[in-house]
Amino acid sequence: MADRKLNMPLIPPLSSRKLPDFKQSVKLKYVKLGYHYLITHGMFLFLSPLIILIAAQMSTFSLKDLHDLWDHLRFNLISVIVCSTLLVFLSTLYFLTRPRPVYLVDFACYKPEEARKCTRQIFMERSALTGSFTEGNLEFQRKILERSGLGESTYLPDAVLRVPPNPSMAEARKEAEAVMYGALDQLFEKTKVKPKDIGILIVNCSLFNPTPSLSAMIINHYKLRGNIISYNLGGMGCSAGLISIDLAKDLLQVHPNSYAIVISMENITLNWYFGNERSMLVSNCLFRMGGAAILLSNRSSDRRRSKYRLVHTVRTHKGADDKCFSCVTQEEDPNGKVGVSLSKDLMAVAGDALKTNITTLGPLVLPMSEQLLFFATLVGKKLFKMKIKPYIPDFKLAFEHFCIHAGGRAVLDELEKNLHLSDWHMEPSRMTLHRFGNTSSSSLWYELAYTEAKGRMKKGDRTWQIAFGSGFKCNSAVWKALRTVNPAKEKNPWMDEIHNFPVDVPKVSAL
């Protein structure tokens, strides 16, 4: 087995790392699904313009018109009763079906201490000192690292950097505590919210699920209240952060006047791979230490001080397909060492999930002009059998900012090409990958923090967060800025060095 692996090319062929061309096919059922989401709040969409029209008509009435209307209603009891009943019914229906707005009050990203910093050279030195890897696989890791887009200032936990490494349950808990409590302490400081005020707690961490759970560790540390609604999501991959946001959104619809905290993180200590299967070694080269804490609220009083309002969440799951289900798998190698195996079909699977997700999201966010162009080409292709490619809408007309999961350079390159994004749009994702590495589900929040630190977030701006995860999943969240974010008043992991960015990241950075 080892000899066969050594004969494999160091880097997979480029064709296996490309996303499929979105223009080749668009499935109509996902377009329909997008419109199904759109009309879910149909009563709200119907009543809003009706109320506006009635108000506009009433504004044209003179005092004499209002007096005549009053005289008419006073002597027509049936009309009064019918109109009053209808008004009460429609008002009740409106308030019962109207979704509660969900506000993002603020968020915090954990920045590890300087002792955890790991240059690429240190990474290679410590990998060699473990004595676990063959010369061929050390060279393989070096090649991956040179093309990864990671810089010289990413972070790894002490148990991995130590010589010899010391992966253990105690060290994993120590890493989890540092990340979770570090992010939460900063979040409580920024928002001035007391831990006892938190009603909902959701923690997502894919590969480390101890007992008591991570959410229980937080409840114990901060002495949260006894009736808190807590969840601990495991095994859901790098897109679990947006699953947590979607879960918090649903819970905030049924629990009025509540605060919800979402913790997104991954744990490196117990998930470092010490074997020689190359499909499992890639994750060593990309994943790094990090985490984020997000405070959500449905209190109307919090709107003024909140940064964003959650507009949409769209979740896509391809787990029914065997190829999609098995493309990212935690398993043992032939020598019994546990690692996360990445299939050669990963990029194709990610592309298919992304295509489904954006086809569903499109009707919710795109301007009518883009939707008409899309439908014109779709009708021509599907009904009239015309040999034309479906029109791929310009999502830059729907969003000012893009936060794309910093999973790796190849993924970002392909998404930039397929979505026709500029270097400016991709900058937060590329700089996050360069500075912090792949921090799993929390990478989206480092990217949003970068946008804020650059002073780019203006009132009314729309941000699209999109992430991929094992299973296979592709999830999206859309946020609208409620105020202009002043970087001078911000405290996030970029602020003391944002003047150094962006930096040029060559396609191959030799070690």
Side-chain angles (χ1 to χ4, degrees):
M1 176 64 73
D3 292 340
R4 182 175 63 84
K5 292 292 179 184
L6 287 173
N7 292 328
M8 291 174 60
L10 286 178
I11 303 298
L14 186 62
S15 59
S16 68
R17 296 188 286 120
K18 284 189 176 182
L19 291 175
D21 187 353
F22 294 171
K23 296 183 180 181
Q24 295 302 318
S25 65
V26 174
K27 294 183 179 179
L28 193 58
K29 65 178 180 179
Y30 297 122
V31 180
K32 292 178 181 177
L33 184 59
Y35 281 99
H36 169 73
Y37 289 157
L38 183 64
I39 65 174
T40 298
H41 305 303
M43 184 57 66
F44 174 74
L45 296 172
F46 170 74
L47 288 178
S48 296
L50 184 62
I51 293 171
I52 293 172
L53 285 174
I54 293 173
Q57 183 64 35
M58 291 290 289
S59 67
T60 63
F61 283 12
S62 64
L63 289 175
K64 185 178 183 303
D65 293 331
L66 293 173
H67 186 268
D68 292 341
L69 181 62
W70 170 250
D71 283 341
H72 174 72
L73 293 176
R74 189 171 55 173
F75 296 108
N76 194 336
L77 185 60
I78 295 177
S79 297
V80 172
I81 293 174
V82 170
C83 290
S84 300
T85 303
L86 182 62
L87 184 62
V88 170
F89 173 75
L90 291 177
S91 299
T92 303
L93 197 60
Y94 170 78
F95 284 107
L96 287 177
T97 59
R98 182 187 63 170
R100 297 179 190 272
V102 175
Y103 304 115
L104 192 161
V105 181
D106 213 331
F107 66 97
C109 298
Y110 174 67
K111 188 174 184 178
E113 57 189 10
E114 285 295 306
R116 303 280 74 75
K117 192 169 285 187
C118 176
T119 66
R120 295 184 303 155
Q121 190 61 44
I122 289 176
F123 174 91
M124 291 306 304
E125 289 174 358
R126 301 298 164 84
S127 294
L129 288 173
T130 64
S132 301
F133 307 113
T134 64
E135 287 298 323
N137 280 332
L138 285 172
E139 178 66 10
F140 172 78
Q141 291 181 77
R142 184 180 68 81
K143 293 289 186 182
I144 291 292
L145 210 57
E146 289 177 342
R147 292 161 173 79
S148 66
L150 272 67
E152 303 294 348
S153 300
T154 59
Y155 301 95
L156 284 174
D158 180 60
V160 174
L161 289 177
R162 191 178 299 170
V163 181
N166 180 35
S168 65
M169 180 63 75
E171 288 294 325
R173 283 186 177 275
K174 190 183 298 183
E175 179 193 350
E177 290 170 355
V179 174
M180 295 190 303
Y181 303 161
L184 279 170
D185 287 347
Q186 190 181 136
L187 182 67
F188 288 134
E189 181 185 348
K190 291 170 75 172
T191 61
K192 308 304 179 186
V193 171
K194 298 177 182 178
K196 288 285 187 183
D197 294 334
I198 305 304
I200 299 167
L201 173 66
I202 303 170
V203 180
N204 66 266
C205 182
S206 288
L207 298 177
F208 181 56
N209 294 286
T211 299
S213 67
L214 297 174
S215 58
M217 289 166 61
I218 292 172
I219 292 169
N220 176 260
H221 181 79
Y222 290 98
K223 309 304 177 189
L224 303 186
R225 64 199 202 197
N227 65 343
I228 191 168
I229 301 167
S230 67
Y231 293 85
N232 201 101
L233 306 183
M236 304 194 80
C238 298
S239 68
L242 296 186
I243 294 175
S244 298
I245 294 293
D246 186 59
L247 175 58
K249 178 194 74 173
D250 290 343
L251 291 169
L252 288 170
Q253 296 305 309
V254 294
H255 295 280
N257 298 313
S258 295
Y259 283 120
I261 278 186
V262 170
I263 306 289
S264 290
M265 59 171 291
E266 194 49 82
N267 191 281
I268 306 294
T269 298
L270 283 181
N271 297 291
W272 201 253
Y273 177 61
F274 292 99
N276 282 283
E277 289 290 314
R278 290 187 175 178
S279 63
M280 296 180 175
L281 281 171
V282 175
S283 60
N284 282 14
C285 301
L286 298 178
F287 282 90
R288 294 295 184 267
M289 190 178 178
I294 304 97
L295 178 66
L296 302 173
S297 171
N298 59 11
R299 302 184 181 194
S300 56
S301 58
D302 281 321
R303 188 186 193 283
R304 177 172 293 182
R305 73 179 186 128
S306 296
K307 285 184 173 180
Y308 307 96
R309 177 174 63 85
L310 182 59
V311 182
H312 299 294
T313 53
V314 174
R315 292 168 57 178
T316 298
H317 204 305
K318 292 287 186 176
D321 182 277
D322 290 342
K323 185 171 72 172
C324 298
F325 173 76
S326 59
C327 69
V328 180
T329 309
Q330 186 181 26
E331 59 187 0
E332 293 176 330
D333 69 10
N335 295 315
K337 295 180 179 178
V338 177
V340 176
S341 174
L342 306 181
S343 164
K344 59 182 177 61
D345 298 317
L346 178 59
M347 291 296 287
V349 166
D352 183 54
L354 174 65
K355 182 173 66 176
T356 300
N357 191 270
I358 66 175
T359 304
T360 305
L361 180 68
L364 301 175
V365 298
L366 288 167
M368 190 56 66
S369 58
E370 289 296 290
Q371 296 197 42
L372 288 174
L373 286 170
F374 172 77
F375 268 110
T377 57
L378 190 63
V379 168
K381 181 179 177 68
K382 299 289 184 180
L383 296 184
F384 300 104
K385 307 301 180 183
M386 297 172 64
K387 293 183 178 180
I388 56 175
K389 293 181 178 180
Y391 174 73
I392 300 301
D394 185 359
F395 279 89
K396 296 190 293 295
L397 298 175
F399 306 109
E400 284 74 35
H401 309 286
F402 295 79
C403 295
I404 301 168
H405 169 53
R409 179 167 193 149
V411 174
L412 296 181
D413 287 346
E414 291 298 315
L415 278 169
E416 178 180 6
K417 183 176 69 176
N418 276 278
L419 295 177
H420 306 294
L421 301 179
S422 67
D423 290 340
W424 187 87
H425 291 114
M426 297 298 298
E427 188 180 309
S429 300
R430 292 194 186 282
M431 294 305 102
T432 295
L433 181 64
H434 178 80
R435 176 62 182 83
F436 293 98
N438 180 349
T439 60
S440 190
S441 56
S442 66
S443 69
L444 299 174
W445 301 103
Y446 287 90
E447 294 164 20
L448 189 58
Y450 180 91
T451 303
E452 291 182 354
K454 278 293 183 181
R456 296 176 180 176
M457 191 61 68
K458 309 299 180 185
K459 183 178 180 179
D461 281 2
R462 298 153 298 178
T463 301
W464 180 16
Q465 291 181 320
I466 187 163
F468 306 92
S470 58
F472 191 85
K473 299 176 286 292
C474 178
N475 300 319
S476 290
V478 178
W479 304 90
K480 185 174 183 179
L482 298 176
R483 58 182 171 89
T484 298
V485 178
N486 182 359
K489 298 180 180 180
E490 284 301 304
K491 182 180 180 182
N492 73 42
W494 295 95
M495 292 313 303
D496 58 349
E497 53 185 293
I498 192 63
H499 57 279
N500 296 324
F501 294 92
V503 298
D504 179 59
V505 183
K507 289 190 178 298
V508 179
S509 179
L511 269 168

